[in-house]
Amino acid sequence: METPEQRIKVAVQKTGRLTDHSIDLLERCGLVLTKSKDQLICYGENMPIDLLLVRDDDIPALVGDDVCDLGIVGLNVVEEKRLSMEQNGSKGQFKQIFELEFGHCRLSIAAPDEARYEGHNSLEKTKIATSYVGLLTDFLTKNNIDAEPVYFSGAVEIAPKLGRADFICDLVSTGSTLKANGLSEVETLLQSEAVVIQTLAPLSDEKQALVDKILQRLAGVLRVHDSKYIMLHAPRSALADIRALLPGSEAPTVMPLEGNDDKVAIHAVCRENVFWETLENLKAAGASSLLVLPVEKMLA
């Protein structure tokens, strides 16, 4: 019988923009989950893997302290925690594995619409409200800007209206919140997305093998993000033109058609979106019997 120490623990944001994407991604990797009564843990039914549903700010520390083996969290949180640890003379005991291609946003400085922004000089001797003091301080230091970061928890965008700051530094996704509060982006400090981090603590051979399996499956799911499998028939004479029209495709599979020496069947994985215009262009080039299918997963 396995012990709790033999199970892989993955820290995931409890509530927020990464939660559903993270759990869905792990389920697409074949993990069947059941939530605990307190809704704080998801137990893996078919694999010895459990999810701890926690605050995103706590995930780097949980992984760094070897409470969890893996974590899924925004790069903005990872970098803020790393800088905070460095400023306190310590080093984060976790490593970043790879990006997950969701949760895209950016950490930006924004100015009130009525302010006249003319580059870094406009930030001199000002106050900038943010909950990302580490990243903002790092930016100011690297650019030799004499400005004061002002820690502001929650609704950072209202700080200028309250007279607490001249600018703000906050996460931006669509920019609609900034616009609603009379603010405009003027500097981008960090492009962020969800990433996987892993503890630096040594794992047993069994646990490392399971971590490697999960990471391989994650890579397989991500590899076919927005990919489509295209099957079609085409004249041999049009083969070069057809290949050129297949979006984001590696060398397609070309097979002879039984009883028809002039035509071939072409199968290809296209790693870019396949639009109606793509199919219409393929048909105009001579393709027929076009079929487009989604791709769920793929191992290299």
Side-chain angles (χ1 to χ4, degrees):
M1 178 181 292
E2 66 190 23
T3 64
E5 291 74 21
Q6 293 174 309
R7 296 180 68 85
I8 297 295
K9 296 180 180 64
V10 184
V12 175
Q13 185 182 37
K14 181 181 179 181
T15 56
R17 59 192 180 86
L18 302 185
T19 305
D20 292 341
H21 286 293
S22 300
I23 294 175
D24 176 67
L25 181 61
L26 290 167
E27 289 178 337
R28 290 170 64 193
C29 290
L31 187 59
V32 178
L33 297 167
T34 299
K35 273 192 175 182
S36 63
K37 291 182 179 179
D38 58 12
Q39 304 288 298
L40 297 179
I41 300 178
C42 290
Y43 296 102
E45 295 183 10
N46 59 333
M47 299 176 72
I49 298 174
D50 300 326
L51 308 189
L52 273 64
L53 304 178
V54 298
R55 286 181 34 180
D56 58 347
D57 290 347
D58 294 332
I59 293 176
L62 288 170
V63 176
D65 293 340
D66 197 29
V67 176
C68 294
D69 306 290
L70 298 172
I72 299 177
V73 65
L75 180 62
N76 55 294
V77 176
V78 172
E79 288 300 295
E80 179 69 13
K81 181 62 69 173
R82 180 183 63 80
L83 287 168
S84 176
M85 289 178 173
E86 288 180 357
Q87 289 164 6
N88 292 326
S90 60
K91 186 178 181 181
Q93 296 298 306
F94 55 81
K95 59 182 177 180
Q96 181 180 325
I97 305 299
F98 52 70
E99 296 80 20
L100 292 176
E101 300 180 8
F102 64 83
H104 291 275
C105 60
R106 55 199 177 275
L107 182 65
S108 296
I109 293 176
D113 290 339
E114 65 272 14
R116 185 175 179 180
Y117 187 79
E118 297 177 340
H120 292 173
N121 288 338
S122 298
L123 299 175
E124 288 288 334
K125 307 298 183 182
T126 64
K127 293 183 178 181
I128 307 174
T130 187
S131 57
Y132 292 91
V133 174
L135 284 164
L136 176 58
T137 300
D138 185 62
F139 169 80
L140 296 174
T141 300
K142 287 179 177 177
N143 289 280
N144 298 311
I145 300 171
D146 181 14
E148 179 186 352
V150 177
Y151 180 75
F152 210 87
S153 180
V156 178
E157 62 274 0
I158 67 172
K161 292 181 180 179
L162 296 177
R164 296 286 303 277
D166 305 290
F167 299 89
I168 73 163
C169 177
D170 201 14
L171 288 183
V172 180
S173 181
T174 63
S176 58
T177 301
L178 292 182
K179 186 175 181 181
N181 285 275
L183 298 165
S184 300
E185 288 179 78
V186 294
E187 297 281 349
T188 298
L189 280 60
L190 176 73
Q191 294 287 347
S192 181
E193 63 183 310
V195 298
V196 177
I197 58 174
Q198 180 179 345
T199 179
L200 292 178
L203 303 177
S204 67
D205 291 344
E206 293 79 8
K207 288 187 74 172
Q208 187 60 58
L210 184 55
V211 166
D212 291 342
K213 177 184 287 188
I214 286 297
L215 295 178
Q216 183 183 55
R217 290 187 180 186
L218 284 172
V221 172
L222 294 172
R223 188 174 291 116
V224 296
H225 178 67
D226 286 336
S227 293
K228 295 292 184 288
Y229 191 75
I230 295 183
M231 296 182 286
L232 56 88
H233 294 169
R236 287 184 180 275
S237 58
L239 189 54
D241 293 336
I242 296 293
R243 281 178 170 173
L245 290 169
L246 292 172
S249 171
E250 295 179 356
T253 300
V254 180
M255 299 168 287
L257 284 174
E258 184 68 27
N260 192 333
D261 294 334
D262 296 327
K263 277 193 171 185
V264 293
I266 299 176
H267 292 193
V269 174
C270 295
R271 296 182 180 175
E272 296 177 11
N273 278 324
V274 177
F275 300 102
W276 279 108
E277 290 79 6
T278 304
L279 300 181
E280 290 163 353
N281 290 336
L282 286 167
K283 185 172 179 63
S288 60
S289 302
L290 291 99
L291 180 63
V292 180
L293 301 172
V295 181
E296 288 190 1
K297 55 187 73 75
M298 183 172 67
L299 291 180

